[in-house]
PDB file of all heavy atoms in Angstrom:
ATOM      1  N   GLU P  66     245.417 139.810  32.142  1.00 94.00           N
ATOM      2  CA  GLU P  66     244.504 140.720  31.448  1.00 94.00           C
ATOM      3  C   GLU P  66     245.291 141.787  30.695  1.00 94.00           C
ATOM      4  O   GLU P  66     246.439 142.090  31.049  1.00 94.00           O
ATOM      5  CB  GLU P  66     243.586 141.425  32.463  1.00 94.00           C
ATOM      6  CG  GLU P  66     242.763 140.515  33.335  1.00 94.00           C
ATOM      7  CD  GLU P  66     241.558 139.913  32.636  1.00 94.00           C
ATOM      8  OE1 GLU P  66     241.232 140.343  31.513  1.00 94.00           O
ATOM      9  OE2 GLU P  66     240.937 139.010  33.218  1.00 94.00           O
ATOM     10  N   SER P  67     244.645 142.382  29.723  1.00 92.00           N
ATOM     11  CA  SER P  67     245.221 143.531  29.045  1.00 92.00           C
ATOM     12  C   SER P  67     245.168 144.722  29.997  1.00 92.00           C
ATOM     13  O   SER P  67     244.168 144.947  30.671  1.00 92.00           O
ATOM     14  CB  SER P  67     244.428 143.862  27.782  1.00 92.00           C
ATOM     15  OG  SER P  67     244.879 145.080  27.229  1.00 92.00           O
ATOM     16  N   THR P  68     246.265 145.459  30.068  1.00 92.00           N
ATOM     17  CA  THR P  68     246.318 146.681  30.868  1.00 92.00           C
ATOM     18  C   THR P  68     246.755 147.860  30.001  1.00 92.00           C
ATOM     19  O   THR P  68     247.300 148.843  30.496  1.00 92.00           O
ATOM     20  CB  THR P  68     247.294 146.512  32.052  1.00 92.00           C
ATOM     21  OG1 THR P  68     248.572 146.136  31.546  1.00 92.00           O
ATOM     22  CG2 THR P  68     246.807 145.479  33.044  1.00 92.00           C
ATOM     23  N   ALA P  69     246.491 147.733  28.703  1.00 88.00           N
ATOM     24  CA  ALA P  69     246.997 148.696  27.737  1.00 88.00           C
ATOM     25  C   ALA P  69     246.444 150.102  27.943  1.00 88.00           C
ATOM     26  O   ALA P  69     247.112 151.080  27.616  1.00 88.00           O
ATOM     27  CB  ALA P  69     246.702 148.218  26.320  1.00 88.00           C
ATOM     28  N   ASP P  70     245.225 150.214  28.486  1.00 91.00           N
ATOM     29  CA  ASP P  70     244.639 151.532  28.689  1.00 91.00           C
ATOM     30  C   ASP P  70     243.670 151.498  29.871  1.00 91.00           C
ATOM     31  O   ASP P  70     243.396 150.443  30.439  1.00 91.00           O
ATOM     32  CB  ASP P  70     243.935 152.023  27.418  1.00 91.00           C
ATOM     33  CG  ASP P  70     242.855 151.071  26.918  1.00 91.00           C
ATOM     34  OD1 ASP P  70     242.134 150.477  27.753  1.00 91.00           O
ATOM     35  OD2 ASP P  70     242.719 150.916  25.698  1.00 91.00           O
ATOM     36  N   ASP P  71     243.163 152.659  30.224  1.00 92.00           N
ATOM     37  CA  ASP P  71     242.262 152.769  31.373  1.00 92.00           C
ATOM     38  C   ASP P  71     241.016 151.907  31.209  1.00 92.00           C
ATOM     39  O   ASP P  71     240.559 151.280  32.171  1.00 92.00           O
ATOM     40  CB  ASP P  71     241.828 154.217  31.596  1.00 92.00           C
ATOM     41  CG  ASP P  71     242.859 155.036  32.343  1.00 92.00           C
ATOM     42  OD1 ASP P  71     243.785 154.433  32.926  1.00 92.00           O
ATOM     43  OD2 ASP P  71     242.736 156.278  32.355  1.00 92.00           O
ATOM     44  N   LEU P  72     240.454 151.866  30.010  1.00 95.00           N
ATOM     45  CA  LEU P  72     239.229 151.082  29.795  1.00 95.00           C
ATOM     46  C   LEU P  72     239.461 149.598  30.054  1.00 95.00           C
ATOM     47  O   LEU P  72     238.622 148.925  30.646  1.00 95.00           O
ATOM     48  CB  LEU P  72     238.687 151.299  28.377  1.00 95.00           C
ATOM     49  CG  LEU P  72     238.119 152.683  28.096  1.00 95.00           C
ATOM     50  CD1 LEU P  72     237.689 152.798  26.632  1.00 95.00           C
ATOM     51  CD2 LEU P  72     236.966 153.002  29.025  1.00 95.00           C
ATOM     52  N   ALA P  73     240.603 149.084  29.638  1.00 93.00           N
ATOM     53  CA  ALA P  73     240.921 147.672  29.864  1.00 93.00           C
ATOM     54  C   ALA P  73     241.092 147.398  31.360  1.00 93.00           C
ATOM     55  O   ALA P  73     240.615 146.378  31.878  1.00 93.00           O
ATOM     56  CB  ALA P  73     242.193 147.284  29.100  1.00 93.00           C
ATOM     57  N   ARG P  74     241.762 148.302  32.060  1.00 93.00           N
ATOM     58  CA  ARG P  74     241.970 148.109  33.502  1.00 93.00           C
ATOM     59  C   ARG P  74     240.652 148.224  34.269  1.00 93.00           C
ATOM     60  O   ARG P  74     240.402 147.470  35.202  1.00 93.00           O
ATOM     61  CB  ARG P  74     243.019 149.088  34.025  1.00 93.00           C
ATOM     62  CG  ARG P  74     244.430 148.750  33.525  1.00 93.00           C
ATOM     63  CD  ARG P  74     245.490 149.613  34.166  1.00 93.00           C
ATOM     64  NE  ARG P  74     245.355 151.029  33.875  1.00 93.00           N
ATOM     65  CZ  ARG P  74     245.802 151.625  32.756  1.00 93.00           C
ATOM     66  NH1 ARG P  74     246.426 150.916  31.826  1.00 93.00           N
ATOM     67  NH2 ARG P  74     245.652 152.919  32.571  1.00 93.00           N
ATOM     68  N   ILE P  75     239.796 149.141  33.868  1.00 94.00           N
ATOM     69  CA  ILE P  75     238.482 149.286  34.506  1.00 94.00           C
ATOM     70  C   ILE P  75     237.637 148.037  34.258  1.00 94.00           C
ATOM     71  O   ILE P  75     236.958 147.550  35.162  1.00 94.00           O
ATOM     72  CB  ILE P  75     237.774 150.567  34.021  1.00 94.00           C
ATOM     73  CG1 ILE P  75     238.491 151.796  34.591  1.00 94.00           C
ATOM     74  CG2 ILE P  75     236.300 150.568  34.405  1.00 94.00           C
ATOM     75  CD1 ILE P  75     238.054 153.112  33.980  1.00 94.00           C
ATOM     76  N   ALA P  76     237.695 147.491  33.046  1.00 94.00           N
ATOM     77  CA  ALA P  76     236.941 146.270  32.731  1.00 94.00           C
ATOM     78  C   ALA P  76     237.440 145.098  33.574  1.00 94.00           C
ATOM     79  O   ALA P  76     236.638 144.313  34.104  1.00 94.00           O
ATOM     80  CB  ALA P  76     237.053 145.941  31.239  1.00 94.00           C
ATOM     81  N   ALA P  77     238.745 144.959  33.730  1.00 94.00           N
ATOM     82  CA  ALA P  77     239.301 143.873  34.540  1.00 94.00           C
ATOM     83  C   ALA P  77     238.887 144.034  35.997  1.00 94.00           C
ATOM     84  O   ALA P  77     238.515 143.073  36.672  1.00 94.00           O
ATOM     85  CB  ALA P  77     240.821 143.825  34.410  1.00 94.00           C
ATOM     86  N   SER P  78     238.925 145.252  36.486  1.00 95.00           N
ATOM     87  CA  SER P  78     238.504 145.520  37.858  1.00 95.00           C
ATOM     88  C   SER P  78     237.026 145.180  38.035  1.00 95.00           C
ATOM     89  O   SER P  78     236.630 144.590  39.039  1.00 95.00           O
ATOM     90  CB  SER P  78     238.715 146.999  38.170  1.00 95.00           C
ATOM     91  OG  SER P  78     239.525 147.172  39.266  1.00 95.00           O
ATOM     92  N   GLY P  79     236.224 145.536  37.050  1.00 96.00           N
ATOM     93  CA  GLY P  79     234.791 145.226  37.091  1.00 96.00           C
ATOM     94  C   GLY P  79     234.519 143.736  37.110  1.00 96.00           C
ATOM     95  O   GLY P  79     233.609 143.264  37.807  1.00 96.00           O
ATOM     96  N   PHE P  80     235.312 142.976  36.350  1.00 97.00           N
ATOM     97  CA  PHE P  80     235.163 141.522  36.354  1.00 97.00           C
ATOM     98  C   PHE P  80     235.346 140.978  37.770  1.00 97.00           C
ATOM     99  O   PHE P  80     234.579 140.150  38.250  1.00 97.00           O
ATOM    100  CB  PHE P  80     236.173 140.868  35.406  1.00 97.00           C
ATOM    101  CG  PHE P  80     236.318 139.391  35.625  1.00 97.00           C
ATOM    102  CD1 PHE P  80     235.381 138.513  35.104  1.00 97.00           C
ATOM    103  CD2 PHE P  80     237.364 138.880  36.381  1.00 97.00           C
ATOM    104  CE1 PHE P  80     235.494 137.144  35.322  1.00 97.00           C
ATOM    105  CE2 PHE P  80     237.487 137.516  36.601  1.00 97.00           C
ATOM    106  CZ  PHE P  80     236.540 136.646  36.076  1.00 97.00           C
ATOM    107  N   TYR P  81     236.383 141.449  38.459  1.00 97.00           N
ATOM    108  CA  TYR P  81     236.659 140.940  39.802  1.00 97.00           C
ATOM    109  C   TYR P  81     235.626 141.400  40.827  1.00 97.00           C
ATOM    110  O   TYR P  81     235.317 140.675  41.766  1.00 97.00           O
ATOM    111  CB  TYR P  81     238.091 141.273  40.235  1.00 97.00           C
ATOM    112  CG  TYR P  81     239.038 140.261  39.662  1.00 97.00           C
ATOM    113  CD1 TYR P  81     239.731 140.499  38.487  1.00 97.00           C
ATOM    114  CD2 TYR P  81     239.186 139.022  40.272  1.00 97.00           C
ATOM    115  CE1 TYR P  81     240.575 139.546  37.949  1.00 97.00           C
ATOM    116  CE2 TYR P  81     240.027 138.059  39.736  1.00 97.00           C
ATOM    117  CZ  TYR P  81     240.710 138.329  38.572  1.00 97.00           C
ATOM    118  OH  TYR P  81     241.522 137.366  38.036  1.00 97.00           O
ATOM    119  N   GLU P  82     235.083 142.592  40.655  1.00 96.00           N
ATOM    120  CA  GLU P  82     233.987 143.021  41.534  1.00 96.00           C
ATOM    121  C   GLU P  82     232.782 142.107  41.340  1.00 96.00           C
ATOM    122  O   GLU P  82     232.154 141.675  42.313  1.00 96.00           O
ATOM    123  CB  GLU P  82     233.609 144.467  41.249  1.00 96.00           C
ATOM    124  CG  GLU P  82     234.629 145.461  41.751  1.00 96.00           C
ATOM    125  CD  GLU P  82     234.280 146.893  41.389  1.00 96.00           C
ATOM    126  OE1 GLU P  82     233.093 147.191  41.101  1.00 96.00           O
ATOM    127  OE2 GLU P  82     235.194 147.734  41.407  1.00 96.00           O
ATOM    128  N   ASP P  83     232.470 141.798  40.085  1.00 97.00           N
ATOM    129  CA  ASP P  83     231.340 140.903  39.789  1.00 97.00           C
ATOM    130  C   ASP P  83     231.597 139.494  40.312  1.00 97.00           C
ATOM    131  O   ASP P  83     230.692 138.853  40.852  1.00 97.00           O
ATOM    132  CB  ASP P  83     231.061 140.863  38.282  1.00 97.00           C
ATOM    133  CG  ASP P  83     230.518 142.192  37.752  1.00 97.00           C
ATOM    134  OD1 ASP P  83     230.085 143.031  38.558  1.00 97.00           O
ATOM    135  OD2 ASP P  83     230.557 142.375  36.519  1.00 97.00           O
ATOM    136  N   LEU P  84     232.826 138.996  40.148  1.00 98.00           N
ATOM    137  CA  LEU P  84     233.170 137.664  40.651  1.00 98.00           C
ATOM    138  C   LEU P  84     233.049 137.620  42.171  1.00 98.00           C
ATOM    139  O   LEU P  84     232.503 136.663  42.736  1.00 98.00           O
ATOM    140  CB  LEU P  84     234.584 137.268  40.218  1.00 98.00           C
ATOM    141  CG  LEU P  84     235.102 135.934  40.756  1.00 98.00           C
ATOM    142  CD1 LEU P  84     234.224 134.775  40.295  1.00 98.00           C
ATOM    143  CD2 LEU P  84     236.549 135.724  40.337  1.00 98.00           C
ATOM    144  N   SER P  85     233.511 138.640  42.837  1.00 97.00           N
ATOM    145  CA  SER P  85     233.414 138.720  44.286  1.00 97.00           C
ATOM    146  C   SER P  85     231.946 138.697  44.724  1.00 97.00           C
ATOM    147  O   SER P  85     231.572 137.981  45.665  1.00 97.00           O
ATOM    148  CB  SER P  85     234.105 139.997  44.778  1.00 97.00           C
ATOM    149  OG  SER P  85     234.106 140.059  46.176  1.00 97.00           O
ATOM    150  N   ASP P  86     231.104 139.455  44.029  1.00 97.00           N
ATOM    151  CA  ASP P  86     229.658 139.460  44.327  1.00 97.00           C
ATOM    152  C   ASP P  86     229.070 138.066  44.113  1.00 97.00           C
ATOM    153  O   ASP P  86     228.255 137.595  44.912  1.00 97.00           O
ATOM    154  CB  ASP P  86     228.919 140.468  43.446  1.00 97.00           C
ATOM    155  CG  ASP P  86     229.227 141.910  43.808  1.00 97.00           C
ATOM    156  OD1 ASP P  86     229.779 142.164  44.911  1.00 97.00           O
ATOM    157  OD2 ASP P  86     228.934 142.798  42.974  1.00 97.00           O
ATOM    158  N   TRP P  87     229.465 137.397  43.031  1.00 98.00           N
ATOM    159  CA  TRP P  87     228.948 136.056  42.736  1.00 98.00           C
ATOM    160  C   TRP P  87     229.343 135.078  43.834  1.00 98.00           C
ATOM    161  O   TRP P  87     228.516 134.271  44.276  1.00 98.00           O
ATOM    162  CB  TRP P  87     229.469 135.579  41.381  1.00 98.00           C
ATOM    163  CG  TRP P  87     229.028 134.214  41.008  1.00 98.00           C
ATOM    164  CD1 TRP P  87     227.835 133.862  40.428  1.00 98.00           C
ATOM    165  CD2 TRP P  87     229.761 132.985  41.176  1.00 98.00           C
ATOM    166  NE1 TRP P  87     227.777 132.506  40.232  1.00 98.00           N
ATOM    167  CE2 TRP P  87     228.948 131.933  40.675  1.00 98.00           C
ATOM    168  CE3 TRP P  87     231.014 132.672  41.686  1.00 98.00           C
ATOM    169  CZ2 TRP P  87     229.365 130.598  40.682  1.00 98.00           C
ATOM    170  CZ3 TRP P  87     231.422 131.347  41.692  1.00 98.00           C
ATOM    171  CH2 TRP P  87     230.595 130.327  41.200  1.00 98.00           C
ATOM    172  N   ILE P  88     230.582 135.145  44.289  1.00 98.00           N
ATOM    173  CA  ILE P  88     231.035 134.255  45.361  1.00 98.00           C
ATOM    174  C   ILE P  88     230.195 134.490  46.614  1.00 98.00           C
ATOM    175  O   ILE P  88     229.754 133.538  47.265  1.00 98.00           O
ATOM    176  CB  ILE P  88     232.546 134.436  45.623  1.00 98.00           C
ATOM    177  CG1 ILE P  88     233.345 133.896  44.428  1.00 98.00           C
ATOM    178  CG2 ILE P  88     232.958 133.735  46.914  1.00 98.00           C
ATOM    179  CD1 ILE P  88     234.825 134.235  44.462  1.00 98.00           C
TER     180      ILE P  88
END
Side-chain angles (χ1 to χ4, degrees):
E66 303 283 350
S67 172
T68 56
D70 57 38
D71 279 346
L72 291 177
R74 290 187 297 278
I75 290 169
S78 237
F80 165 80
Y81 278 96
E82 287 177 21
D83 292 344
L84 176 61
S85 184
D86 290 345
W87 178 83
I88 291 170

